Structures are given as structure tokens and as C-alpha cells.
């Protein structure tokens, strides 16, 4: 059966053979065995409703085994035989080009070169699911292949509820992931309801079909480092020869050395797992691999002296590096950490003075002792960082819960008021005020032709547009424009494409709209094929996340989720091709609400109207909320936007004198 026929048949008419689990595939960890016997029966009953009754006897036994062995029912047998990757849009069977674009994006998220656990339909982050099981995938692709531009597919946590009549202007797909009644959103609720097959953790771009591989995290880390250097260097100083010290060369953290090179500094990333460090070295993501402390010290001093741009992986514990650099009086300009402190007791963070192998034994056999060692290490880690910051190092938390876990371990990381941490998070100090509050965020696009030449053309178009916009932009945002022009100039050279032909850059509403319009014009004149626009959820307006994206909101509203909900509703009737809203993502289930969109540009005048309406709202919704929270940069940005756009009327806060409040209570 050819690809198109297989897609069109959905659930096959004959029961497919049971399959061997493919070799060399990174399998998802076994999930918690959390269901009671009655709940396990319910999970099987739920999974069998996708299939005709005559298969139930055979499948019930098989699915019960999956539940026992893996904690979830993935329905491995139903994974299709054809290769899963983003094909050119023309290769998909479809009555709607918009639906074909969504199929392409789904297949990209499940491509084994892109996805972390492809057999379990997990794109990234250990649990970021596109679907809960293969039946949902098959049915969704069938619906997309048969739907028209007058229907909308509603998807509940991977499950395609069905096609409903709508209109050409409506989104083709509405996605929700992990939405729960608020009192039922504890981590174990995810374990339970996911095992029952009724919800899933969509992370951010996994469950919204908008993941583009490691390019996103490299770009985000580069922007963070460039802006962090800006905070500590004077205008005429270069980052060359200046040190950025950090830890971790794993899934996301492996982006740090590459970003360090693009930002133009010396980066030192300690990594306890020799395999992870060697992998990044082999992939060309880090220049040097050093496993000896004396050699590290000599090489770092040489790099400082010669004002080099170089990335160094040190195989060992990062605490040793912080302590030794202090003894040797090596000045660190920037310090951070990207170990996995969101999971400190199961191998996310390794204790100092104990070998990697011995640590892994302790995790399995003596978990309490392991925990004690981790907490002792965190106290030492913070102590060494404090010595450096006393000498002038700028340290920031990079969204990995370092300060949270260090504080829980009793480390000296609290501010004088004993409420705040003594160091900022990267969003509080860098991305929030320098990017999000001005509307700058991770805009991305995918060339649906699959042609690298189309990506080159779009890079050129984007660079031209940003250069023009920058010429007339106020000084407050010139740096952000410049950083992204520099990035897009070198984007091809950095060789970041994995999977679909995709690009990311940070732009504000004006930049995003002008780039999108220029793409639509180029499509209309046949210079390039159709383009999918989207963004990471880690953005200005899409995400309410008090410990990350909205950590620089100080009016008490950071624990509300109105902004994310308004964003997804607002985008949906302004022209998005699909929208999604998720519970969880990034910092954890129950801790964040995040939303995203996808929009197909097809070169038509309708697409031009829609891109202008939707991108304008998608950015300015968040700036309005940030300005109402009294953020100075957002107040500047929204007032500027109101001057340019007479139809925009946003409520502006009146500021109150501190003295008035100090005298009140
Ligand atoms: N800021 C952001 O935008 C952002 C984005 C994604 C992930 N994160 C967070 O960053 C963290 C890292 O994510 P990841 O996917 O790279 O995780 P990962 O587990 O793949 O990598 C972490 C690495 O740190 C190493 N490590 C642990 N303890 C160490 C120590 N004491 N010294 C040296 N090396 C040590 C581990 O061996 C591992 O390879 C997570 O907490 C994640 O939530 C932040």
C-alpha cells in the first residue's frame, strides 16, 4: 500500500502483525504503576474503544502487558510501516492545504531523527507527547487527509474527537493538552489520567506540532548569553576571552557551548557523564574535551590571555571547577547551570567527590544517602558561586530549578528578605525585561516544500526586513534587532536544521508581521512554496508560568493564567490555522499554562489579512498584560504601539509613590 492510501485508511481494516521493538531506539522510561485493578480495567476498556470488537480478545491481553511493562498503553502494533518525517506538502493526501501542512508538522515531531522517544510518540522533555497512542495518530491523519476548509478537527490530549462544520476562516485544528479541573493537577494526577488514556503532557511545541529540533534552544541560549554579557560589559568591551562557566551537556544543556561560540566567549561546561560530553564533542557542538583539572586551568588561562572564542567540555563535576577557579583566581564573567535539577534525586544532579558509576549505584540502592550527598553538594556549589559573585561574577538561574533546590538544601542562596533568591532567573533579569516586555520572542517558520533553497531565500528575506525595520527603530530595541540580524546572517553556517527546513529568530510584532508579509508576497510570486509560521510557547503572550516566562510579573498576577487563555482564543478567530493550549510544559504539570499557534501562508490576499490581524494580537496581548503589571519596558512598547495603531486602546496603570504606601501600615 502506498503512503497516501495508508494515511487514508486510518485504523487498518485487518489487524496488523505484532512488531519487534526496533533496535537502537531510545525507549521512554517505564512510567509509574499507579492504577488500581479497577482503573487498569478501565484503561484497557478505554484503549479498546478504538478497535472493532473481534480484535478485543487479542488486543486486551497485549495492552494489559504494555500497561504492566511500560506503565502506559502505546499500541505499538499500530505504528505504520512507512517512514515518519516531514515530506513535501505536495506528498500528503488532502482536500485542504492547511490540513496537509498540519500533517507535515505532526510527522516532523515524530521523526526518529527529531523525536526523543519516537515509538512512544514523545518529542522532547521525557514526556512531551504528540499523541498518547498510535490509534490516535492514525485517526488524526485520516481526519486531516479527508477534511475540507469548512471543517475543524477538535483534539483532546491527542484524541481526535472529530470533525465539526465551521468556516474557511476558522482554525482547521483546535488542540488542548493536559487541561484539568484545577484541583486535579498534581504530578500524580498526570500519571493516573495519562495511564487511563484520557490526558497527556504536551510540553510546549511537542503537543502543538511546532518542534524544530535543537535550533530553538541554541538560539534562546545565544540571545540569553549576548544579553547577559551586555549587562556586565561596557559598550566598547567584547565578550572575546571572557568566561561563561556552566554545567551540563545533555539534551538541552548541550546547546550551551554552541551558543557560547556564537555569542563569542570562552565557555566551560562541566559534564559528569563522559558519554554525554563525548557525544557533543563528536557532533561538533563543543570544541575541546578535557578530563584533567590542571590541563583545564592551563588551557583556560591561555584562552583568556589570547582573547579566544572557544568552547571547552570538562569531564567532571562542576563544583570542582567553581572551587578550583576560585583558588586559581580565574575571573568568571558569567555563571549559570543546566544540570537537571527539576529531577534531583534520580540522576538530574550528581554529587561531588563520588564517581559517576558509584552515584548511579547509590540512586538505585541507597537513595537516602544519595539525596544527602546531593544536598551537601548543592551547599558547596552555592558557597563556591558566592565567592565568585563577591568578586564580580554575574550568576543567573537558567530555568533548571538550581536556586529552588539549593534553597531546599539549605544553601546560602536567599536574599536578605528571606523570600527572594539572591540571584535572578534568566527571565527576571534578561529575557523578561530585555525581550518579552518589548514583544521580542521566538518566531519561527517552516518551508513546506522541504527545499533547502526555500530556507535560504527566507533567511535573506528576513534579514532584509529586519535591517530595514532596525533603521527606524528606537534605541531601546536596537540591540535586540542587531542580535537577530547577526543570528540570521550566520544561521545557515551554524548548520542547525534537523528534520523540517525550519528557522527561528526573535522579533517583535512589527518584525514578525513584516517578515510574514514578505514571505506571503514571495509565495504569491512563486519564489518559494507555502510557509508555516509558528513560535515556541516560551514567548511574550502565550505562556503564564510564574517560575519562568512570567517570573518578572510583580503585581501578584503571575499565578493567574488569563493571558495564555486570552491568547489562544484571540488567535483562533484572527486567522490561526491551528491553536493549542497546554497544562504543564517546561517547569511541570500544574505549574504553567502555555499556548501556541500555527499559520499556513499560501500567498493569498486572505493570508495577508490574517497574518496581520493574528500576529499583532499574538504579541500585543502579552505586552498589554506586562504593562498593566507596571513593567517599564512593556509600558514603553504598548504606548508606542498605541501611537501607531489608533484602533488599539489598552488600559494603562497609574503608578503609586512608594512613600505613600510606606506610611500606611
Ligand atoms: N532555560 C531554558 O530555556 C530551558 C530549556 C530547556 C530545559 N531547561 C532545563 O535545563 C535542565 C537541563 O535540561 P537537559 O534536557 O539538558 O537535561 P539532561 O538531563 O539531558 O542534561 C543535564 C546534564 O547535566 C549533567 N550533570 C548533572 N549533575 C552534574 C554536575 N554536578 N556536574 C556536571 N554535570 C552534571 C548530567 O550528566 C546531564 O548530562 C533541565 O532542568 C531543564 O528543565 C531549561
Amino acid at each position: 500500500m502506498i503512503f497516501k492510501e495508508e494515511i487514508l485508511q486510518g485504523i487498518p481494516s485487518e489487524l496488523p502483525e505484532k512488531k519487534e521493538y526496533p533496535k537502537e531506539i531510545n525507549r521512554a522510561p517505564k512510567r509509574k504503576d499507579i492504577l488500581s485493578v479497577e482503573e487498569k480495567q478501565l484503561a484497557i476498556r478505554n484503549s479498546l474503544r478504538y478497535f472493532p470488537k473481534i480484535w478485543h480478545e487479542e488486543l486486551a491481553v497485549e495492552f494489559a502487558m504494555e500497561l504492566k511493562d511500560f506503565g502506559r498503553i502505546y499500541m505499538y502494533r499500530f505504528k505504520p510501516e512507512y517512514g515518519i518525517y516531514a515530506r513535501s506538502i505536495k506528498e500528503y493526501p488532502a482536500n485542504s492545504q492547511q490540513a496537509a501542512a498540519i500533517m507535515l508538522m505532526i510527522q516532523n515531531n515524530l521523526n526518529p531523527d527529531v523525536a526523543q522517544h519516537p515509538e512512544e510518540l514523545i518529542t522532547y522533555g521525557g514526556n512531551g507527547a504528540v499523541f498518547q497512542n498510535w490509534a490516535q495518530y492514525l485517526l488524526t491523519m485520516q481526519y486531516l487527509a479527508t477534511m475540507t476548509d469548512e471543517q475543524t478537527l477538535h483534539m483532546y490530549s491527542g484524541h481526535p474527537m472529530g470533525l465539526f462544520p465551521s468556516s474557511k476562516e476558522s482554525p482547521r485544528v483546535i488542540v488542548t493538552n493536559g487541561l484539568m479541573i484545577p484541583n486535579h493537577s498534581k504530578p500524580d494526577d498526570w500519571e493516573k489520567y495519562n495511564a487511563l488514556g484520557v490526558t497527556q503532557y504536551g510540553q510546549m511545541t511537542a503537543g502543538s506540532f511546532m518542534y524544530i529540533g535543537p535550533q530553538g534552544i541554541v538560539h534562546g541560549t545565544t540571545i540569553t548569553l549576548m544579553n547577559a554579557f551586555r549587562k556586565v560589559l561596557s559598550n566598547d568591551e567584547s565578550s572575546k576571552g571572557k568566561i561563561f562557566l556552566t554545567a551540563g551537556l545533555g539534551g538541552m544543556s548541550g546547546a550551551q557551548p554552541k551558543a557560547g561560540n556564537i555569542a563569542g566567549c570562552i565557555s566551560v561546561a562541566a559534564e559528569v557523564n563522559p558519554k554525554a560530553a563525548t557525544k557533543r564533542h563528536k557532533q561538533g557542538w563543543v570544541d575541546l574535551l578535557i578530563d584533567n583539572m590542571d590541563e583545564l586551568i592551563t588551557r583556560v588561562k591561555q584562552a583568556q590571555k589570547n582573547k579566544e572564542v572557544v568552547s571547552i567540555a570538562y569531564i567532571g563535576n562542576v563544583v570542582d571547577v567553581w572551587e578550583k577557579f576560585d583558588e586559581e583566581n580565574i575571573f568568571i564573567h558569567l555563571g549559570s547551570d543546566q544540570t537537571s535539577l527539576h529531577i534531583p534525586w534520580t540522576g538530574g544532579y550528581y554529587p561531588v567527590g563520588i564517581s559517576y558509576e558509584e552515584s548511579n549505584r547509590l540512586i538505585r540502592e541507597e537513595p537516602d544517602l544519595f539525596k544527602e550527598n546531593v544536598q551537601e553538594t548543592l551547599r558547596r556549589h552555592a558557597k563556591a558561586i558566592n565567592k565568585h559573585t563577591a568578586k564580580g561574577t554575574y550568576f543567573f538561574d537558567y530555568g533548571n530549578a538550581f536556586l529552588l533546590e539549593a534553597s531546599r538544601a539549605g544553601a546560602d542562596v536567599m536574599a536578605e528578605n528571606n523570600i527572594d533568591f539572591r540571584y535572578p532567573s534568566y527571565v527576571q533579569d534578561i529575557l523578561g525585561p530585555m525581550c518579552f516586555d518589548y514583544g521580542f520572542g521566538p518566531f519561527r517558520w517552516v518551508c513546506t516544500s522541504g527545499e533547502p533553497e526555500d530556507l535560504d531565500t527566507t533567511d535573506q528575506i528576513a534579514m532584509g526586513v529586519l535591517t530595514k525595520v532596525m533603521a527606524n527603530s528606537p534605541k531601546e530595541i536596537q540591540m535586540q534587532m542587531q542580535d537577530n540580524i547577526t543570528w540570521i546572517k550566520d544561521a545557515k553556517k551554524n548548520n542547525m536544521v534537523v528534520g523540517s527546513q525550519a528557522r527561528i529568530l526573535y522579533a517583535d510584532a512589527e518584525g514578525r508581521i513584516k517578515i510574514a508579509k514578505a514571505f506571503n508576497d514571495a509565495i504569491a510570486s512563486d519564489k518559494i512554496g507555502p510557509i508555516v509560521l509558528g513560535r515556541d510557547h516560551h514567548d511574550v503572550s502565550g505562556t503564564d508560568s510564574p517560575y519562568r516566562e512570567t517570573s518578572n510579573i510583580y503585581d501578584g498576577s503571575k499565578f493567574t493564567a488569563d493571558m495564555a487563555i486570552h491568547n489562544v482564543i484571540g488567535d483562533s478567530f484572527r486567522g490561526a490555522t491551528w491553536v493549542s493550549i497546554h497544562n504543564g510544559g517546561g517547569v511541570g504539570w500544574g505549574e504553567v499554562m502555555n499556548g501556541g499557534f500555527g499559520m499556513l501562508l499560501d500567498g493569498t490576499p486572505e493570508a495577508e489579512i490574517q497574518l496581520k490581524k493574528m500576529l499583532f494580537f499574538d504579541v500585543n496581548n502579552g505586552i498589554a498584560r506586562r504593562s498593566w503589571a507596571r513593567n517599564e519596558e512593556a509600558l514603553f512598547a504598548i504606548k508606542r504601539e498605541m501611537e501607531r495603531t489608533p484602533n488599539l486602546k489598552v488600559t494603562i496603570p497609574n503608578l503609586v509613590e512608594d512613600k505613600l504606601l510606606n506610611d500606611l501600615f
Side-chain angles (χ1 to χ4, degrees):
M1 203 182 282
I2 59 167
F3 171 68
K4 285 187 181 179
E5 289 168 352
E6 265 199 76
I7 294 274
L8 283 166
Q9 78 167 345
I11 305 272
S13 50
E14 279 178 32
L15 185 61
E17 290 290 308
K18 217 176 148 188
K19 296 188 179 72
E20 284 286 301
Y21 196 85
K23 292 193 180 73
E24 309 283 319
I25 286 281
N26 184 1
R27 186 169 213 153
K30 184 176 175 183
R31 308 295 185 191
K32 203 166 179 173
D33 179 10
I34 197 168
L35 302 183
S36 66
V37 169
E38 291 73 24
E39 287 165 343
K40 283 180 182 164
Q41 287 169 345
L42 181 58
I44 304 293
R45 190 187 293 282
N46 286 347
S47 62
L48 291 176
R49 62 185 150 173
Y50 287 102
F51 306 104
K53 224 175 175 144
I54 57 165
W55 298 350
H56 284 188
E57 212 177 307
E58 185 170 349
L59 291 180
V61 178
E62 188 171 314
F63 292 168
M65 281 306 283
E66 287 191 19
L67 193 58
K68 177 168 166 283
D69 292 345
F70 315 115
R72 298 290 185 271
I73 302 167
Y74 298 111
M75 310 181 181
Y76 290 118
R77 177 198 286 255
F78 290 91
K79 185 184 170 208
E81 293 295 331
Y82 55 76
I84 299 187
Y85 59 91
R87 292 160 167 77
S88 161
I89 192 166
K90 293 187 199 116
E91 292 180 43
Y92 291 92
N95 298 319
S96 154
Q97 213 187 7
Q98 296 188 342
I102 299 170
M103 285 194 252
L104 178 160
M105 299 295 284
I106 288 176
Q107 289 209 317
N108 189 58
N109 269 23
L110 294 173
N111 176 345
D113 291 341
V114 173
Q116 187 182 16
H117 306 302
E119 296 291 309
E120 289 79 24
L121 304 113
I122 302 287
T123 302
Y124 73 94
N127 53 4
V130 189
F131 297 99
Q132 298 177 63
N133 57 56
W134 285 102
Q136 294 179 343
Y137 166 85
L138 294 177
L139 279 175
T140 300
M141 294 299 274
Q142 184 188 34
Y143 277 129
L144 290 168
T146 52
M147 75 186 293
T148 71
D149 280 339
E150 301 209 327
Q151 288 173 304
T152 296
L153 176 64
H154 286 259
M155 297 186 61
Y156 290 32
S157 280
H159 171 70
M161 194 56 78
L163 293 173
F164 291 78
S166 61
S167 67
K168 215 166 171 268
E169 295 72 34
S170 316
R172 294 283 70 77
V173 177
I174 306 278
V175 175
T176 56
N177 279 307
L179 298 192
M180 302 298 291
I181 301 300
N183 270 344
H184 299 263
S185 202
K186 302 271 181 304
D188 266 355
D189 291 319
W190 169 70
E191 297 278 2
K192 176 171 162 181
Y193 295 103
N194 188 223
L196 283 176
V198 294
T199 195
Q200 71 177 6
Y201 195 82
Q203 279 282 9
M204 295 186 145
T205 51
S208 62
F209 327 138
M210 197 43 79
Y211 188 66
I212 57 166
Q215 188 176 171
I217 187 75
V218 172
H219 179 267
T221 309
T222 305
I223 293 293
T224 303
L225 286 183
M226 283 174 161
N227 283 312
F229 272 118
R230 210 159 267 149
K231 286 180 82 74
V232 297
L233 300 180
S234 54
N235 280 348
D236 55 346
E237 256 183 311
S238 146
S239 52
K240 280 187 187 159
K242 312 282 189 310
I243 295 177
F244 165 49
L245 172 59
T246 184
L249 288 170
M252 294 287 175
S253 48
Q256 296 179 107
K258 189 132 190 149
N261 281 9
I262 302 172
C265 64
I266 304 168
S267 66
V268 179
E271 170 56 65
V272 285
N273 179 353
K275 276 195 187 149
T278 313
K279 182 174 162 191
R280 290 304 183 199
H281 185 239
K282 274 200 188 134
Q283 288 172 335
W285 286 56
V286 59
D287 302 324
L288 304 175
L289 201 56
I290 295 180
D291 61 2
N292 172 298
M293 185 60 86
D294 292 338
E295 200 186 314
L296 177 70
I297 300 297
T298 311
R299 188 62 187 85
V300 163
K301 285 184 176 169
Q302 181 195 16
Q304 275 186 312
K305 195 164 146 241
N306 298 338
K307 297 199 173 356
E308 286 179 56
V309 173
V310 64
S311 51
I312 304 173
Y314 170 69
I315 302 181
N317 200 294
V318 72
V319 178
D320 289 327
V321 184
W322 281 103
E323 289 177 348
K324 190 72 183 171
F325 278 25
D326 176 49
E327 265 172 59
E328 295 285 331
N329 245 328
I330 294 176
F331 185 70
I332 300 167
H333 274 80
L334 302 182
S336 195
D337 194 87
Q338 273 262 270
T339 57
S340 274
L341 273 159
H342 69 285
I343 41 163
W345 322 128
T346 51
Y349 181 84
Y350 282 82
V352 65
I354 303 176
S355 75
Y356 183 62
E357 292 72 22
E358 173 61 5
S359 294
N360 286 333
R361 189 193 66 76
L362 289 180
I363 293 172
R364 285 191 310 273
E365 295 170 19
E366 295 181 72
D368 290 342
L369 182 58
F370 182 77
K371 188 172 170 180
E372 270 173 40
N373 280 303
V374 162
Q375 294 204 317
E376 172 56 30
T377 300
L378 279 166
R379 289 191 288 271
R380 247 175 90 175
H381 196 159
K383 194 170 166 195
I385 290 170
N386 292 345
K387 284 188 181 167
H388 284 275
T389 56
K391 293 187 233 174
T393 299
Y394 174 65
F395 182 86
F396 60 95
D397 185 292
Y398 196 39
N400 68 332
F402 173 79
L403 291 173
L404 183 67
E405 282 308 328
S407 69
R408 286 175 177 162
D412 181 9
V413 291
M414 299 311 289
E416 268 175 30
N417 66 9
N418 220 13
I419 300 168
D420 301 317
F421 296 126
R422 63 192 282 179
Y423 302 115
S425 84
Y426 74 117
V427 173
Q428 281 178 307
D429 236 24
I430 302 171
L431 279 193
M434 295 167 105
C435 295
F436 294 164
D437 288 354
Y438 286 119
F440 282 84
F443 180 59
R444 56 182 57 174
W445 64 90
V446 172
C447 302
T448 65
S449 64
E451 302 290 345
E453 296 75 32
D454 274 13
L455 189 58
D456 294 347
T457 308
T458 56
D459 282 349
Q460 292 306 319
I461 293 174
M463 193 167 74
V465 170
L466 287 187
T467 310
K468 259 198 203 151
V469 175
M470 185 176 162
N472 296 316
S473 64
K475 66 172 188 337
E476 283 82 352
I477 59 170
Q478 293 249 337
M479 289 298 185
Q480 301 313 325
M481 308 284 307
Q482 187 52 57
D483 287 352
N484 284 285
I485 292 169
T486 309
W487 160 266
I488 196 82
K489 231 185 239 166
D490 288 341
K492 188 180 162 116
K493 199 177 80 192
N494 289 324
N495 209 8
M496 298 267 53
V497 169
V498 179
S500 60
Q501 295 294 321
R503 186 67 72 220
I504 183 169
L505 54 74
Y506 267 42
D508 62 359
E510 181 183 7
R512 299 185 206 202
I513 291 169
K514 288 190 169 157
I515 291 170
K517 169 163 178 346
F519 288 170
N520 203 48
D521 292 345
I523 300 162
S525 56
D526 273 340
K527 289 198 185 89
I528 50 173
I531 298 280
V532 167
L533 299 181
R535 57 165 173 72
D536 191 0
H537 296 200
H538 181 55
D539 195 7
V540 182
S541 315
T543 294
D544 275 300
S545 178
Y547 301 109
R548 217 165 76 176
E549 284 78 356
T550 41
S551 58
N552 72 323
I553 298 283
Y554 303 105
D555 70 347
S557 73
K558 68 176 167 186
F559 294 100
T560 64
D562 297 305
M563 178 179 74
I565 298 297
H566 276 274
N567 215 63
V568 76
I569 295 174
D571 282 359
S572 75
F573 64 79
R574 287 183 172 88
T577 307
W578 73 100
V579 287
S580 62
I581 182 86
H582 306 177
N583 167 24
V587 287
W589 179 255
E591 304 285 7
V592 44
M593 289 290 279
N594 66 87
F597 74 87
M599 175 183 259
L600 181 72
L601 298 181
D602 58 5
T604 57
E606 292 79 21
E608 184 176 326
I609 295 169
Q610 291 180 321
L611 76 85
K612 285 180 179 164
K613 273 195 302 198
M614 202 215 72
L615 292 174
F616 182 87
F617 174 76
D618 187 62
V619 177
N620 280 297
N621 170 43
I623 303 181
R625 187 270 177 108
R626 289 165 186 274
S627 76
W628 182 239
R630 294 180 283 265
N631 290 12
E632 208 181 303
E633 293 80 5
L635 276 163
F636 168 87
I638 206 72
K639 284 180 186 166
R640 178 169 176 248
E641 196 56 77
M642 282 198 282
E643 277 166 25
R644 293 191 290 199
T645 312
N647 252 351
L648 176 72
K649 305 248 182 269
V650 169
T651 316
I652 298 295
N654 292 296
L655 304 182
V656 180
E657 294 296 328
D658 287 350
K659 190 177 169 307
L660 180 75
L661 304 175
N662 294 341
D663 295 347
L664 268 185
F665 301 105

